[in-house]
Amino acid sequence: MTKKQKKVLIRIIVAAILLVILHFVPLEGLWLGLLYLIPYAVIGYDILRKAVLGIMHGEVFDENFLMAVATVGAMGLGEYSEGVAVMLFYQIGELFQAVAVGKSRQNISALMDIRPDYANIEAEDGSLEQVDPDDVEIGTIIVVRPGEKVPIDGVVVEGTSTLNTSALTGESVPREITVDQDVISGCVNLTGLLKIRTTKEFGESTVSKILDLVENSSMKKSKSENFITKFARYYTPAVCYSALALAILPPVINLIMGNPAAWSTWIIRALTFLVISCPCALGLATPVAIMVGNGMGAKNGILFKTAVSLEEAGKIQIVALDKTGTITKGEPQVTDMVPAKGISEEELLGYAYALEKKSEHPLAKAIIARAEEKKIVLQKVSDFQALPGNGLRAALNSEVLTGGNMKFISNETSVSPELMKQAEKLAGEGKTPLLFAKGGKLLGMIAVADVIKEDSPQAIKELQNMGIRVVMLTGDNERTAKAIGAQAGVDDVIAGVLPDGKESVIRSLKEQGKVAMVGDGINDAPALTRADIGIAIGAGTDVAIDAADVVLMKSRLSDVPAAIRLSRATLRNIHENLFWAFFYNVIGIPLAAGVWIPIFGWTLNPMFGAAAMSLSSFCVVTNALRLNLFKVHDASRDKKIKQNVTENKSLKAENPDFCNSEIHDPKDQENIKENKENKEMTTITVNVTGMMCGHCEAHVTKAVKEAFGVEDVVSSHEKGTTVIHAPEKLDEDKIREVIKEAGYEVTGITQE
């Protein structure tokens, strides 16, 4: 409890004690009323003050006004105990609400603790000076001691340590960190002293982005909340005018009919009507559930940018997943090692390490990482050569060491049919086989691929069990894409999609249902923005936080169904709260108005009306707090949503020509079809050597597009070609020059 809440609790206790004591005081009339003003003032002075201020500012019709009118009216009619009791029950309900809401904020408040207070800069004499993080420029060396927060994103230049990232990612296991590794602000340094070169200003750092996101998450109201706000705008004045009519019309009608007016009876009923019609429960139904849902998300590393995104995420029908970095780890890894006879895996890896260490190719990094992991001793090579389209060559101990694709190594040494078949099998699985030879003798084969994350297949299965169709988008060739898609278990695979083409795919998918796009980087930003809900995997990328509606801090795909599951639970909780609030009013308002008196003889005292009103708020808040017990990763109760579109309706079925080309961007596909229909279009087939994987294809395609301003370009490392559709013949010398600058060689060009 806060100090303010404790003060309210003390006031409640004092007022309750005084109310009990006064019940036994043998006084009547004005003197008794004056005594009852003491507990009334103790418990209700703040409500009366708010009501007066509301009237002065033109905001008359709110719960404070209703409570003030009801209690003052009861006191004026001599119902002193009822007037005090109504205010007492109302304050009890408000206190419970405040405590519950405060509790629901704890998870978010814990996240806000990541805000750094200072940054350490080392002075010339070696002492540390504490400065405001806002004053630190990019490239500055800052010092983070054990126990301190990392204030700004950067790269470690000195020291090793372990970082507590739980506030950002929810991960309890500390992360090992050493030189040349990136660190993000908001983490806590646990062990060693670190020197970090800043790569961003504080305002652009992860911690600032996250804090802005959290602080502004409640600025935009959800659809349910907007509806209740609009409803309350008309509901509260209607209640007030209805209460006034209830107090005046029946007595007047009684007088006209020659009966006693019974003014006090009907005024009491009108006051009870005001009390029980107070829209507290209705107003709490949505915001408390949203707040608890946001808190549960923050606790589990799932940050919803707005209340709208929390509410709408559960309505998703189609999830589009970027492949690289989302389904897969985003970095090529060694998957298979097939040493030749008489060669051990360690020897094969050692020779490959020596050769690939001098290469800048993405596939080389995978082999280097595996060798360093196995602590292989690096052998020094000389006369290193990168042979575009083939592989690598170097000298090791007076012998020639080579590595590369099957075609290249087959010319260097003999390769058995069994190994060739195995290489084809690996290629069919989306892997890139690299062969190595030394002194004309085959050493073996190492397969490299961007492997899928451990939790990806399960996450995709969970999405499908929720009735959600899963589509994978990738710029890879169709063969590799289908292999990864089969491993992951997605419903549809759309390959050959360039970064700027993902947005077009999302646009097409939105015609079939409500779409969520899941991505991890700059290339996915247009698609994240275009989708109904953009979900960014990965903590700390500026574009992810800016473009997405939901940010998954733990960088794992299993949090996508968790976010949707939490959204559905929150939306269900809101509906339960609204039902209870409306049900309570449907029963209570007629009872307070005396509708049931002629039938059942039922009536309602203002005190019991206030108790019922507080109980309604209690039930709504308690139900919202149940979300704190919700297990976001428990898939046992998942249910399929009702789809407004045909399930498993693929883009391929919708457009038979969609997958006839390696380019599957709808915009590019449309261009291809138009070009084919235009007889004046020129088809340029360029034979290119040096392309070994999807990265190479994308590199060549991009270079050609930028150089010639054409959109219809298809590269294939398997065919060794780049096919260009242009309105006229292109300069062949320029084509050769462009592709050579990209790092590849042209062996032939035909233009038709």
Side-chain angles (χ1 to χ4, degrees), residues 49-94:
R49 179 175 174 274
K50 291 176 182 177
V52 172
L53 290 175
I55 295 172
M56 292 173 62
H57 292 94
E59 299 173 359
V60 179
F61 301 111
D62 60 11
E63 63 269 19
N64 297 306
F65 176 78
L66 296 182
M67 286 298 106
V69 171
T71 55
V72 170
M75 297 287 285
L77 293 172
E79 302 290 342
Y80 306 125
S81 61
E82 282 83 355
V84 177
V86 167
M87 190 66 77
L88 182 65
F89 282 123
Y90 176 74
Q91 289 284 32
I92 291 172
E94 288 293 292

mmCIF file of all heavy atoms in Angstrom, residues 49-94:
data_model
loop_
_atom_site.group_PDB
_atom_site.id
_atom_site.type_symbol
_atom_site.label_atom_id
_atom_site.label_comp_id
_atom_site.label_asym_id
_atom_site.label_seq_id
_atom_site.Cartn_x
_atom_site.Cartn_y
_atom_site.Cartn_z
ATOM 1 N N ARG A 49 -15.119 17.448 -2.309
ATOM 2 C CA ARG A 49 -14.209 18.411 -2.937
ATOM 3 C C ARG A 49 -14.126 18.166 -4.441
ATOM 4 O O ARG A 49 -14.202 19.104 -5.252
ATOM 5 C CB ARG A 49 -12.830 18.305 -2.305
ATOM 6 C CG ARG A 49 -11.790 19.253 -2.903
ATOM 7 C CD ARG A 49 -10.489 19.155 -2.116
ATOM 8 N NE ARG A 49 -9.429 19.930 -2.746
ATOM 9 C CZ ARG A 49 -8.642 19.451 -3.714
ATOM 10 N NH1 ARG A 49 -8.794 18.191 -4.134
ATOM 11 N NH2 ARG A 49 -7.705 20.222 -4.257
ATOM 12 N N LYS A 50 -13.964 16.904 -4.847
ATOM 13 C CA LYS A 50 -13.886 16.564 -6.266
ATOM 14 C C LYS A 50 -15.178 16.898 -6.990
ATOM 15 O O LYS A 50 -15.167 17.349 -8.140
ATOM 16 C CB LYS A 50 -13.555 15.080 -6.430
ATOM 17 C CG LYS A 50 -12.138 14.710 -6.009
ATOM 18 C CD LYS A 50 -11.922 13.195 -6.115
ATOM 19 C CE LYS A 50 -10.515 12.815 -5.633
ATOM 20 N NZ LYS A 50 -10.319 11.335 -5.657
ATOM 21 N N ALA A 51 -16.307 16.672 -6.316
ATOM 22 C CA ALA A 51 -17.599 16.973 -6.927
ATOM 23 C C ALA A 51 -17.744 18.469 -7.186
ATOM 24 O O ALA A 51 -18.209 18.892 -8.252
ATOM 25 C CB ALA A 51 -18.732 16.471 -6.031
ATOM 26 N N VAL A 52 -17.352 19.291 -6.191
ATOM 27 C CA VAL A 52 -17.429 20.750 -6.340
ATOM 28 C C VAL A 52 -16.501 21.227 -7.462
ATOM 29 O O VAL A 52 -16.893 22.050 -8.292
ATOM 30 C CB VAL A 52 -17.075 21.440 -5.012
ATOM 31 C CG1 VAL A 52 -16.970 22.957 -5.205
ATOM 32 C CG2 VAL A 52 -18.121 21.133 -3.951
ATOM 33 N N LEU A 53 -15.265 20.714 -7.482
ATOM 34 C CA LEU A 53 -14.321 21.093 -8.530
ATOM 35 C C LEU A 53 -14.826 20.670 -9.904
ATOM 36 O O LEU A 53 -14.644 21.399 -10.891
ATOM 37 C CB LEU A 53 -12.952 20.457 -8.262
ATOM 38 C CG LEU A 53 -12.170 21.020 -7.061
ATOM 39 C CD1 LEU A 53 -10.891 20.200 -6.841
ATOM 40 C CD2 LEU A 53 -11.822 22.482 -7.283
ATOM 41 N N GLY A 54 -15.459 19.505 -9.978
ATOM 42 C CA GLY A 54 -16.022 19.041 -11.240
ATOM 43 C C GLY A 54 -17.109 19.971 -11.749
ATOM 44 O O GLY A 54 -17.176 20.282 -12.942
ATOM 45 N N ILE A 55 -17.957 20.419 -10.843
ATOM 46 C CA ILE A 55 -19.015 21.356 -11.218
ATOM 47 C C ILE A 55 -18.423 22.671 -11.697
ATOM 48 O O ILE A 55 -18.864 23.256 -12.695
ATOM 49 C CB ILE A 55 -19.970 21.585 -10.028
ATOM 50 C CG1 ILE A 55 -20.709 20.289 -9.677
ATOM 51 C CG2 ILE A 55 -20.961 22.694 -10.349
ATOM 52 C CD1 ILE A 55 -21.519 20.361 -8.401
ATOM 53 N N MET A 56 -17.385 23.151 -11.002
ATOM 54 C CA MET A 56 -16.739 24.409 -11.372
ATOM 55 C C MET A 56 -16.068 24.328 -12.733
ATOM 56 O O MET A 56 -16.004 25.329 -13.453
ATOM 57 C CB MET A 56 -15.711 24.789 -10.303
ATOM 58 C CG MET A 56 -16.319 25.172 -8.962
ATOM 59 S SD MET A 56 -15.053 25.419 -7.666
ATOM 60 C CE MET A 56 -14.113 26.787 -8.371
ATOM 61 N N HIS A 57 -15.581 23.169 -13.106
ATOM 62 C CA HIS A 57 -14.904 22.998 -14.395
ATOM 63 C C HIS A 57 -15.830 22.477 -15.487
ATOM 64 O O HIS A 57 -15.378 22.122 -16.566
ATOM 65 C CB HIS A 57 -13.701 22.053 -14.242
ATOM 66 C CG HIS A 57 -12.583 22.623 -13.422
ATOM 67 N ND1 HIS A 57 -12.454 22.395 -12.077
ATOM 68 C CD2 HIS A 57 -11.547 23.425 -13.768
ATOM 69 C CE1 HIS A 57 -11.377 23.013 -11.613
ATOM 70 N NE2 HIS A 57 -10.813 23.651 -12.622
ATOM 71 N N GLY A 58 -17.117 22.400 -15.182
ATOM 72 C CA GLY A 58 -18.089 21.957 -16.175
ATOM 73 C C GLY A 58 -18.169 20.461 -16.375
ATOM 74 O O GLY A 58 -18.846 19.974 -17.281
ATOM 75 N N GLU A 59 -17.462 19.686 -15.533
ATOM 76 C CA GLU A 59 -17.509 18.228 -15.610
ATOM 77 C C GLU A 59 -18.398 17.709 -14.485
ATOM 78 O O GLU A 59 -17.935 17.168 -13.478
ATOM 79 C CB GLU A 59 -16.104 17.648 -15.515
ATOM 80 C CG GLU A 59 -15.177 18.109 -16.631
ATOM 81 C CD GLU A 59 -13.744 17.662 -16.438
ATOM 82 O OE1 GLU A 59 -13.464 17.009 -15.410
ATOM 83 O OE2 GLU A 59 -12.914 17.975 -17.308
ATOM 84 N N VAL A 60 -19.692 17.863 -14.677
ATOM 85 C CA VAL A 60 -20.651 17.621 -13.606
ATOM 86 C C VAL A 60 -20.903 16.137 -13.400
ATOM 87 O O VAL A 60 -20.844 15.628 -12.280
ATOM 88 C CB VAL A 60 -21.971 18.360 -13.891
ATOM 89 C CG1 VAL A 60 -22.980 18.081 -12.783
ATOM 90 C CG2 VAL A 60 -21.718 19.847 -14.052
ATOM 91 N N PHE A 61 -21.205 15.456 -14.438
ATOM 92 C CA PHE A 61 -21.731 14.108 -14.323
ATOM 93 C C PHE A 61 -20.628 13.055 -14.237
ATOM 94 O O PHE A 61 -20.185 12.510 -15.253
ATOM 95 C CB PHE A 61 -22.666 13.815 -15.498
ATOM 96 C CG PHE A 61 -23.835 14.754 -15.595
ATOM 97 C CD1 PHE A 61 -23.922 15.667 -16.632
ATOM 98 C CD2 PHE A 61 -24.828 14.750 -14.624
ATOM 99 C CE1 PHE A 61 -24.995 16.540 -16.721
ATOM 100 C CE2 PHE A 61 -25.905 15.632 -14.702
ATOM 101 C CZ PHE A 61 -25.985 16.532 -15.738
ATOM 102 N N ASP A 62 -20.190 12.790 -13.005
ATOM 103 C CA ASP A 62 -19.261 11.699 -12.765
ATOM 104 C C ASP A 62 -19.637 11.013 -11.457
ATOM 105 O O ASP A 62 -20.599 11.404 -10.778
ATOM 106 C CB ASP A 62 -17.808 12.181 -12.730
ATOM 107 C CG ASP A 62 -17.542 13.221 -11.643
ATOM 108 O OD1 ASP A 62 -18.414 13.433 -10.775
ATOM 109 O OD2 ASP A 62 -16.451 13.818 -11.663
ATOM 110 N N GLU A 63 -18.881 9.971 -11.065
ATOM 111 C CA GLU A 63 -19.234 9.197 -9.878
ATOM 112 C C GLU A 63 -19.134 10.026 -8.602
ATOM 113 O O GLU A 63 -19.885 9.799 -7.645
ATOM 114 C CB GLU A 63 -18.361 7.936 -9.769
ATOM 115 C CG GLU A 63 -16.861 8.182 -9.588
ATOM 116 C CD GLU A 63 -16.143 8.252 -10.892
ATOM 117 O OE1 GLU A 63 -16.797 8.476 -11.927
ATOM 118 O OE2 GLU A 63 -14.917 8.053 -10.882
ATOM 119 N N ASN A 64 -18.219 11.023 -8.565
ATOM 120 C CA ASN A 64 -18.110 11.881 -7.383
ATOM 121 C C ASN A 64 -19.375 12.720 -7.197
ATOM 122 O O ASN A 64 -19.865 12.878 -6.075
ATOM 123 C CB ASN A 64 -16.895 12.806 -7.503
ATOM 124 C CG ASN A 64 -15.585 12.036 -7.555
ATOM 125 O OD1 ASN A 64 -15.295 11.222 -6.690
ATOM 126 N ND2 ASN A 64 -14.787 12.283 -8.581
ATOM 127 N N PHE A 65 -19.914 13.223 -8.290
ATOM 128 C CA PHE A 65 -21.151 14.002 -8.241
ATOM 129 C C PHE A 65 -22.319 13.133 -7.769
ATOM 130 O O PHE A 65 -23.118 13.554 -6.933
ATOM 131 C CB PHE A 65 -21.444 14.583 -9.622
ATOM 132 C CG PHE A 65 -22.748 15.327 -9.716
ATOM 133 C CD1 PHE A 65 -22.873 16.621 -9.213
ATOM 134 C CD2 PHE A 65 -23.864 14.727 -10.287
ATOM 135 C CE1 PHE A 65 -24.081 17.302 -9.290
ATOM 136 C CE2 PHE A 65 -25.061 15.405 -10.370
ATOM 137 C CZ PHE A 65 -25.175 16.695 -9.869
ATOM 138 N N LEU A 66 -22.402 11.916 -8.295
ATOM 139 C CA LEU A 66 -23.475 11.009 -7.903
ATOM 140 C C LEU A 66 -23.414 10.695 -6.412
ATOM 141 O O LEU A 66 -24.439 10.699 -5.720
ATOM 142 C CB LEU A 66 -23.399 9.715 -8.719
ATOM 143 C CG LEU A 66 -23.608 9.819 -10.231
ATOM 144 C CD1 LEU A 66 -23.543 8.444 -10.888
ATOM 145 C CD2 LEU A 66 -24.932 10.479 -10.547
ATOM 146 N N MET A 67 -22.201 10.394 -5.902
ATOM 147 C CA MET A 67 -22.048 10.072 -4.490
ATOM 148 C C MET A 67 -22.357 11.280 -3.609
ATOM 149 O O MET A 67 -22.981 11.147 -2.544
ATOM 150 C CB MET A 67 -20.624 9.583 -4.214
ATOM 151 C CG MET A 67 -20.325 8.179 -4.711
ATOM 152 S SD MET A 67 -21.359 6.927 -3.934
ATOM 153 C CE MET A 67 -22.456 6.584 -5.289
ATOM 154 N N ALA A 68 -21.918 12.456 -4.038
ATOM 155 C CA ALA A 68 -22.171 13.672 -3.259
ATOM 156 C C ALA A 68 -23.667 13.953 -3.159
ATOM 157 O O ALA A 68 -24.196 14.215 -2.062
ATOM 158 C CB ALA A 68 -21.439 14.858 -3.885
ATOM 159 N N VAL A 69 -24.374 13.903 -4.262
ATOM 160 C CA VAL A 69 -25.814 14.163 -4.276
ATOM 161 C C VAL A 69 -26.560 13.138 -3.432
ATOM 162 O O VAL A 69 -27.434 13.476 -2.626
ATOM 163 C CB VAL A 69 -26.344 14.179 -5.720
ATOM 164 C CG1 VAL A 69 -27.882 14.238 -5.725
ATOM 165 C CG2 VAL A 69 -25.792 15.352 -6.499
ATOM 166 N N ALA A 70 -26.192 11.869 -3.603
ATOM 167 C CA ALA A 70 -26.880 10.793 -2.893
ATOM 168 C C ALA A 70 -26.690 10.905 -1.385
ATOM 169 O O ALA A 70 -27.654 10.782 -0.609
ATOM 170 C CB ALA A 70 -26.390 9.436 -3.388
ATOM 171 N N THR A 71 -25.470 11.149 -0.942
ATOM 172 C CA THR A 71 -25.197 11.183 0.504
ATOM 173 C C THR A 71 -25.692 12.467 1.154
ATOM 174 O O THR A 71 -26.242 12.429 2.260
ATOM 175 C CB THR A 71 -23.681 11.009 0.762
ATOM 176 O OG1 THR A 71 -22.943 11.997 0.034
ATOM 177 C CG2 THR A 71 -23.235 9.619 0.328
ATOM 178 N N VAL A 72 -25.491 13.586 0.496
ATOM 179 C CA VAL A 72 -26.003 14.859 1.037
ATOM 180 C C VAL A 72 -27.524 14.817 1.107
ATOM 181 O O VAL A 72 -28.134 15.270 2.083
ATOM 182 C CB VAL A 72 -25.518 16.045 0.175
ATOM 183 C CG1 VAL A 72 -26.252 17.333 0.599
ATOM 184 C CG2 VAL A 72 -24.026 16.237 0.325
ATOM 185 N N GLY A 73 -28.155 14.244 0.087
ATOM 186 C CA GLY A 73 -29.608 14.102 0.088
ATOM 187 C C GLY A 73 -30.099 13.234 1.227
ATOM 188 O O GLY A 73 -31.096 13.561 1.902
ATOM 189 N N ALA A 74 -29.411 12.128 1.471
ATOM 190 C CA ALA A 74 -29.795 11.238 2.583
ATOM 191 C C ALA A 74 -29.640 11.941 3.923
ATOM 192 O O ALA A 74 -30.515 11.829 4.798
ATOM 193 C CB ALA A 74 -28.942 9.965 2.543
ATOM 194 N N MET A 75 -28.535 12.683 4.092
ATOM 195 C CA MET A 75 -28.324 13.420 5.335
ATOM 196 C C MET A 75 -29.402 14.485 5.514
ATOM 197 O O MET A 75 -29.908 14.704 6.621
ATOM 198 C CB MET A 75 -26.940 14.073 5.331
ATOM 199 C CG MET A 75 -25.771 13.105 5.275
ATOM 200 S SD MET A 75 -25.467 12.203 6.800
ATOM 201 C CE MET A 75 -24.715 13.463 7.822
ATOM 202 N N GLY A 76 -29.776 15.142 4.421
ATOM 203 C CA GLY A 76 -30.799 16.173 4.485
ATOM 204 C C GLY A 76 -32.166 15.639 4.853
ATOM 205 O O GLY A 76 -32.980 16.346 5.450
ATOM 206 N N LEU A 77 -32.438 14.381 4.519
ATOM 207 C CA LEU A 77 -33.714 13.755 4.849
ATOM 208 C C LEU A 77 -33.718 13.104 6.229
ATOM 209 O O LEU A 77 -34.693 12.451 6.606
ATOM 210 C CB LEU A 77 -34.079 12.708 3.786
ATOM 211 C CG LEU A 77 -34.406 13.255 2.385
ATOM 212 C CD1 LEU A 77 -34.544 12.105 1.388
ATOM 213 C CD2 LEU A 77 -35.691 14.076 2.424
ATOM 214 N N GLY A 78 -32.592 13.272 6.923
ATOM 215 C CA GLY A 78 -32.506 12.704 8.258
ATOM 216 C C GLY A 78 -32.018 11.269 8.309
ATOM 217 O O GLY A 78 -31.959 10.667 9.389
ATOM 218 N N GLU A 79 -31.657 10.713 7.150
ATOM 219 C CA GLU A 79 -31.125 9.344 7.105
ATOM 220 C C GLU A 79 -29.621 9.432 7.289
ATOM 221 O O GLU A 79 -28.828 9.177 6.382
ATOM 222 C CB GLU A 79 -31.481 8.679 5.773
ATOM 223 C CG GLU A 79 -32.963 8.602 5.479
ATOM 224 C CD GLU A 79 -33.688 7.618 6.380
ATOM 225 O OE1 GLU A 79 -33.020 6.750 6.996
ATOM 226 O OE2 GLU A 79 -34.931 7.716 6.488
ATOM 227 N N TYR A 80 -29.210 9.814 8.510
ATOM 228 C CA TYR A 80 -27.809 10.118 8.765
ATOM 229 C C TYR A 80 -26.903 8.889 8.621
ATOM 230 O O TYR A 80 -25.850 8.947 7.977
ATOM 231 C CB TYR A 80 -27.650 10.724 10.168
ATOM 232 C CG TYR A 80 -28.530 11.915 10.416
ATOM 233 C CD1 TYR A 80 -29.408 11.941 11.511
ATOM 234 C CD2 TYR A 80 -28.492 13.023 9.583
ATOM 235 C CE1 TYR A 80 -30.212 13.032 11.762
ATOM 236 C CE2 TYR A 80 -29.306 14.127 9.825
ATOM 237 C CZ TYR A 80 -30.168 14.115 10.915
ATOM 238 O OH TYR A 80 -30.972 15.202 11.168
ATOM 239 N N SER A 81 -27.298 7.801 9.234
ATOM 240 C CA SER A 81 -26.465 6.599 9.182
ATOM 241 C C SER A 81 -26.335 6.070 7.759
ATOM 242 O O SER A 81 -25.263 5.630 7.344
ATOM 243 C CB SER A 81 -27.040 5.512 10.102
ATOM 244 O OG SER A 81 -28.353 5.147 9.700
ATOM 245 N N GLU A 82 -27.450 6.144 6.991
ATOM 246 C CA GLU A 82 -27.398 5.696 5.595
ATOM 247 C C GLU A 82 -26.457 6.570 4.775
ATOM 248 O O GLU A 82 -25.689 6.076 3.936
ATOM 249 C CB GLU A 82 -28.800 5.708 4.965
ATOM 250 C CG GLU A 82 -29.680 4.535 5.360
ATOM 251 C CD GLU A 82 -30.374 4.760 6.683
ATOM 252 O OE1 GLU A 82 -30.088 5.803 7.342
ATOM 253 O OE2 GLU A 82 -31.163 3.916 7.104
ATOM 254 N N GLY A 83 -26.500 7.891 4.985
ATOM 255 C CA GLY A 83 -25.627 8.799 4.250
ATOM 256 C C GLY A 83 -24.162 8.512 4.499
ATOM 257 O O GLY A 83 -23.348 8.462 3.567
ATOM 258 N N VAL A 84 -23.796 8.315 5.778
ATOM 259 C CA VAL A 84 -22.411 7.998 6.120
ATOM 260 C C VAL A 84 -22.023 6.624 5.578
ATOM 261 O O VAL A 84 -20.924 6.440 5.037
ATOM 262 C CB VAL A 84 -22.197 8.049 7.648
ATOM 263 C CG1 VAL A 84 -20.766 7.637 8.006
ATOM 264 C CG2 VAL A 84 -22.481 9.446 8.184
ATOM 265 N N ALA A 85 -22.938 5.651 5.704
ATOM 266 C CA ALA A 85 -22.654 4.286 5.259
ATOM 267 C C ALA A 85 -22.429 4.214 3.741
ATOM 268 O O ALA A 85 -21.557 3.492 3.268
ATOM 269 C CB ALA A 85 -23.798 3.354 5.673
ATOM 270 N N VAL A 86 -23.236 4.974 2.989
ATOM 271 C CA VAL A 86 -23.067 4.997 1.532
ATOM 272 C C VAL A 86 -21.668 5.490 1.169
ATOM 273 O O VAL A 86 -20.968 4.884 0.350
ATOM 274 C CB VAL A 86 -24.144 5.884 0.876
ATOM 275 C CG1 VAL A 86 -23.780 6.169 -0.581
ATOM 276 C CG2 VAL A 86 -25.502 5.216 0.945
ATOM 277 N N MET A 87 -21.240 6.589 1.766
ATOM 278 C CA MET A 87 -19.909 7.129 1.494
ATOM 279 C C MET A 87 -18.821 6.162 1.960
ATOM 280 O O MET A 87 -17.786 6.004 1.299
ATOM 281 C CB MET A 87 -19.739 8.477 2.177
ATOM 282 C CG MET A 87 -18.486 9.233 1.760
ATOM 283 S SD MET A 87 -18.538 9.745 0.020
ATOM 284 C CE MET A 87 -19.640 11.166 0.115
ATOM 285 N N LEU A 88 -19.064 5.485 3.092
ATOM 286 C CA LEU A 88 -18.091 4.532 3.621
ATOM 287 C C LEU A 88 -17.896 3.356 2.668
ATOM 288 O O LEU A 88 -16.759 2.984 2.347
ATOM 289 C CB LEU A 88 -18.562 4.026 4.990
ATOM 290 C CG LEU A 88 -17.630 3.047 5.723
ATOM 291 C CD1 LEU A 88 -16.319 3.734 6.103
ATOM 292 C CD2 LEU A 88 -18.318 2.501 6.986
ATOM 293 N N PHE A 89 -19.002 2.774 2.207
ATOM 294 C CA PHE A 89 -18.909 1.646 1.276
ATOM 295 C C PHE A 89 -18.253 2.061 -0.042
ATOM 296 O O PHE A 89 -17.496 1.299 -0.637
ATOM 297 C CB PHE A 89 -20.298 1.054 1.015
ATOM 298 C CG PHE A 89 -20.808 0.170 2.116
ATOM 299 C CD1 PHE A 89 -22.020 0.432 2.741
ATOM 300 C CD2 PHE A 89 -20.068 -0.922 2.537
ATOM 301 C CE1 PHE A 89 -22.484 -0.378 3.757
ATOM 302 C CE2 PHE A 89 -20.539 -1.741 3.552
ATOM 303 C CZ PHE A 89 -21.750 -1.470 4.172
ATOM 304 N N TYR A 90 -18.562 3.268 -0.472
ATOM 305 C CA TYR A 90 -17.957 3.753 -1.708
ATOM 306 C C TYR A 90 -16.438 3.869 -1.562
ATOM 307 O O TYR A 90 -15.684 3.454 -2.445
ATOM 308 C CB TYR A 90 -18.556 5.114 -2.092
ATOM 309 C CG TYR A 90 -17.916 5.727 -3.314
ATOM 310 C CD1 TYR A 90 -18.189 5.238 -4.588
ATOM 311 C CD2 TYR A 90 -17.021 6.789 -3.196
ATOM 312 C CE1 TYR A 90 -17.601 5.798 -5.712
ATOM 313 C CE2 TYR A 90 -16.428 7.354 -4.308
ATOM 314 C CZ TYR A 90 -16.711 6.849 -5.564
ATOM 315 O OH TYR A 90 -16.111 7.408 -6.665
ATOM 316 N N GLN A 91 -15.967 4.407 -0.440
ATOM 317 C CA GLN A 91 -14.531 4.560 -0.209
ATOM 318 C C GLN A 91 -13.849 3.204 -0.071
ATOM 319 O O GLN A 91 -12.703 3.034 -0.496
ATOM 320 C CB GLN A 91 -14.284 5.409 1.026
ATOM 321 C CG GLN A 91 -14.625 6.887 0.873
ATOM 322 C CD GLN A 91 -13.602 7.660 0.078
ATOM 323 O OE1 GLN A 91 -12.977 7.128 -0.832
ATOM 324 N NE2 GLN A 91 -13.411 8.916 0.402
ATOM 325 N N ILE A 92 -14.539 2.238 0.544
ATOM 326 C CA ILE A 92 -13.980 0.882 0.642
ATOM 327 C C ILE A 92 -13.759 0.308 -0.755
ATOM 328 O O ILE A 92 -12.713 -0.274 -1.054
ATOM 329 C CB ILE A 92 -14.905 -0.034 1.475
ATOM 330 C CG1 ILE A 92 -14.884 0.397 2.944
ATOM 331 C CG2 ILE A 92 -14.468 -1.499 1.346
ATOM 332 C CD1 ILE A 92 -15.909 -0.331 3.807
ATOM 333 N N GLY A 93 -14.767 0.485 -1.623
ATOM 334 C CA GLY A 93 -14.642 0.007 -3.003
ATOM 335 C C GLY A 93 -13.517 0.702 -3.750
ATOM 336 O O GLY A 93 -12.755 0.068 -4.485
ATOM 337 N N GLU A 94 -13.395 2.027 -3.553
ATOM 338 C CA GLU A 94 -12.343 2.786 -4.211
ATOM 339 C C GLU A 94 -10.958 2.360 -3.720
ATOM 340 O O GLU A 94 -10.008 2.282 -4.508
ATOM 341 C CB GLU A 94 -12.540 4.288 -3.954
ATOM 342 C CG GLU A 94 -13.707 4.912 -4.694
ATOM 343 C CD GLU A 94 -13.501 4.949 -6.193
ATOM 344 O OE1 GLU A 94 -12.610 5.708 -6.642
ATOM 345 O OE2 GLU A 94 -14.191 4.209 -6.910
#
